[in-house]
Amino acid sequence: MTDLSPGLQPQTRHSNSAEVPLHASEIFFSRTDSIGVLRSGNDVFKRVSGYSEEELYGQPHKIVRHDDTPRGLFQLLWNRLNDGRPMGFYIKNTDKSGRFYWVFALASPVDDGFMSIRIKPSSTHLDVIKKIYARMRKAEKEDNVTPQESARALQAHVRELGFASYEAYQSTVFAAEIEGRLKQLGESPDQMQKRIMAMAAAIAQVETETAEMTEAFKAIRTVPMNMRIIASRLESAGGPISAISVNYSQMLEEMSTWVKTFVEGESCVFARIRNAILNGQFLALGIIIAKEMSDAAERSAETGELTQTDRDDIAALAGLRASYQSETAAALNSVETEAMRFGRSVLDMKRYVTGLSSTRMMCKIESASLSNSGTALSGIVDQLDACQNEIEERLARIVELNSVIQSNTSMLRSYF
């Protein structure tokens, strides 16, 4: 798990391009102290690493580090773990003989150390991150990019992929890996997983609807100016149109302020509910993986006499599961709060859009009373009709999606 612990020397082994076999059903963990020295691991970990228990315990976790893995990943990992935050990530490891294996890992603080639970990746996100890691590692080797700079580059890379932050990325790929693993095992998600995924899908669709609605809003920003141009051509007859233009301009200014508050920046209304949902999803998926690992450890313990290390592992896994449950419950409270805030903000926008209807109606009346110049004003009315209808339709869908989020949040509360 570590690559940056002070005083630890890099491991060497001969190169081998073969891949260690790992089945989708296999799940494994390793537990370290606060500087990344191995304390324990289950039988699957020992098998894929190729080391015996005696060879592993007391060694730095970097004993399984593959040189292809960028140091920036470990920098980001340690930053988060030392802040008390779990992290999900892809990593390429190596066994004793030099063979490699890719895993998706969930690393978390436990007691006075850390625990990493790993599964075999099965989603297309792995192919994408492989290319990113290769670029990062090349920069580290050839351009002397520091681990800190490389960590910042990794976060920039995931934003380039369309994710708002690494937190959004890890939640999305974690969900994809859990879903892909279930398919490979021929299993279906349980009700909790379905509700989590429904919430995530809903907020993703809200993002699409919001982006399209914002574009529709931008399309009518030029309407007041066009009205003023028409009014100037009509001279004294253009007074009413000029007044409508002023009124419309004021309404658009209010809507513009709403758009900025709603969709711009990481503190906007949309970002707050998106982040709350993705954080809740990540934590809830942590419960799933921690429970499976905990159950497997307890079953394994039933087959033989327990050592103190076995007891410590079982206790650590139980504590990890309880921690994720508590944090998920808190995250759902946050989702509920943000969903209500989100709903109120959408209602504000609906009132603004309703106000546009009166302006549109006045434009229609003036257009009908004019002769030749009415054609130009009629074109503006048509533009208003199309844009307002689109905004109203997208707002309606956003309201519906927010209801999906709220209902699933309410149902999920019963699990915690």
Side-chain angles (χ1 to χ4, degrees), residues 261-372:
T261 304
F262 191 76
V263 300
E264 293 184 8
E266 277 305 295
S267 61
C268 72
V269 175
F270 169 74
R272 289 167 67 96
I273 188 172
R274 178 201 62 205
N275 294 343
I277 289 172
L278 291 176
N279 180 51
Q281 174 179 260
F282 180 76
L283 294 168
L285 293 172
I287 295 174
I288 294 168
I289 211 73
K291 179 181 184 301
E292 182 178 348
M293 189 72 263
S294 179
D295 291 346
E298 291 177 0
R299 286 194 302 271
S300 178
E302 293 172 357
T303 63
E305 186 176 346
L306 289 179
T307 65
Q308 185 57 50
T309 299
D310 293 331
R311 294 189 185 92
D312 291 343
D313 286 342
I314 291 172
L317 285 164
L320 182 62
R321 179 180 172 185
S323 174
Y324 275 116
Q325 287 178 318
S326 175
E327 291 178 25
T328 302
L332 289 174
N333 286 336
S334 179
V335 172
E336 284 185 328
T337 299
E338 295 304 330
M340 288 188 288
R341 188 197 310 270
F342 185 84
R344 289 194 297 269
S345 184
V346 172
L347 287 177
D348 287 341
M349 183 57 164
K350 290 184 75 173
R351 283 193 288 270
Y352 292 138
V353 174
T354 299
L356 291 180
S357 296
S358 59
T359 303
R360 183 173 56 170
M361 183 57 63
M362 286 187 288
C363 282
K364 286 184 177 180
I365 293 171
E366 287 302 316
S367 177
S369 66
L370 297 172
S371 54
N372 296 332

Side-chain angles (χ1 to χ4, degrees), residues 61-75:
H61 202 291
K62 67 192 299 180
I63 195 172
V64 296
R65 178 184 65 81
H66 197 287
D67 189 57
D68 287 350
T69 304
R71 294 177 182 270
L73 173 65
F74 294 108
Q75 179 70 49

Side-chain angles (χ1 to χ4, degrees), residues 12-18 66-68 92 94-100:
T12 59
R13 54 174 63 82
H14 67 271
S15 177
N16 191 328
S17 60
H66 197 287
D67 189 57
D68 287 350
K92 185 179 185 179
T94 186
D95 73 353
K96 184 177 180 180
S97 70
R99 296 183 301 169
F100 73 91

Side-chain angles (χ1 to χ4, degrees), residues 19 37 63 86 129 136 154 159-160 173 191 195 224 286 302 318 328 332 346-347 353 368 379 391 393 402:
E19 186 171 2
V37 175
I63 195 172
I129 205 65
M136 291 171 61
L154 174 56
R159 287 194 294 271
E160 289 168 1
V173 299
Q191 285 301 313
R195 294 192 183 283
E302 293 172 357
T328 302
L332 289 174
V346 172
L347 287 177
V353 174
I391 292 172
E393 289 171 3
N402 193 41

Side-chain angles (χ1 to χ4, degrees), residues 373-395:
S373 298
T375 303
L377 192 57
S378 177
I380 290 178
V381 171
D382 291 341
Q383 182 185 10
L384 288 176
D385 283 342
C387 290
Q388 184 174 334
N389 288 338
E390 180 178 356
I391 292 172
E392 288 177 339
E393 289 171 3
R394 294 194 182 280
L395 279 173

Side-chain angles (χ1 to χ4, degrees), residues 35 144 162 239 252 306 324 343:
I35 62 169
N144 295 319
L252 284 182
L306 289 179
Y324 275 116

